Amino acid sequence: MKLRPLARKALTLLATAALATVSVAGLSACGESQEDAIKAMLKEQFGQLEQVTDANIEEVFGDDEIAELQKYGIDATELYNACVKRFDYEVEDVSISDDTATVTLSVTNLDFATVAASWTDDMTAYLTSDEAANDYTNLGEDGILAKVMGQFVERLAADDAPTKTASVSLDLEKNGKTWEFADEDQVVSAIFAGADPSTLME
């Protein structure tokens, strides 16, 4: 079954949605220090993570992706909210050199790797159980996929889901009077508390 690839795809799509939410463009540095401008930009951009609507999700994912996720028991908006609702950060250091800067953040979010590992262990046990055999008879393979992938999102959304804190670095560059993110992969890593969503299910 394609459970791990589906979970990996779901998290990768989530990263795409989060990155689309956090605009590459920044804020003007007029009237304040460069460090204060950078901190204001981070607050503005990461603050947008919690302001996503169903329409935003649909626009980023597209109808086909939304339909495929739904087929396999994943609500795209529920997935997104589960993965960003615990996101928080603190600025540890700002290093500025002319028109470039590096920001070190202490980022807290879901411990995606721990959730994925626990879900994978339980999924493996389930797939070899009598319950799965009965489900296959009654629901078919797609039904089992929907059941297990729905449980994956539930694990991510659970109030007692584990979290982790990691130190991450973000490179910035100045475009005119505006500070912007220089590397999209770094932004995704920050949102996922240092993890790479494309490798969590390997």
Side-chain angles (χ1 to χ4, degrees), residues 63-199:
D63 292 340
D64 291 343
E65 296 289 4
I66 293 283
E68 182 178 4
L69 290 175
Q70 290 176 340
K71 176 181 177 181
Y72 295 118
I74 302 174
D75 180 276
T77 303
E78 183 182 352
L79 171 67
Y80 178 90
N81 290 331
C83 292
V84 303
K85 69 179 182 180
R86 298 172 183 82
F87 176 83
D88 196 12
Y89 75 93
E90 292 183 5
V91 178
E92 294 184 332
D93 183 65
V94 179
S95 177
I96 302 171
S97 177
D98 297 325
D99 289 340
T100 63
T102 299
V103 181
T104 303
L105 304 178
S106 175
V107 180
T108 299
N109 202 350
L110 273 171
D111 187 342
F112 292 93
T114 297
V115 173
S118 174
W119 172 77
T120 298
D121 288 344
D122 291 346
M123 173 194 70
T124 301
Y126 162 72
L127 291 176
T128 58
S129 69
D130 291 340
E131 179 185 359
N134 290 332
D135 285 344
Y136 186 83
T137 299
N138 296 322
L139 304 175
E141 182 172 328
D142 285 352
I144 289 180
L145 283 170
K147 177 177 180 177
V148 177
M149 294 309 301
Q151 291 173 351
F152 177 61
V153 177
E154 289 176 3
R155 296 282 184 93
L156 295 172
D159 291 338
D160 59 352
T163 61
K164 65 175 287 189
T165 299
S167 181
V168 300
S169 293
L170 293 172
D171 293 324
L172 307 179
E173 54 190 11
K174 198 174 182 185
N175 182 5
K177 295 182 179 180
T178 300
W179 286 101
E180 302 175 349
F181 294 117
D183 188 330
E184 292 183 348
D185 289 340
Q186 291 179 343
V187 179
V188 171
S189 178
I191 294 169
F192 278 76
D196 181 348
S198 67
T199 65

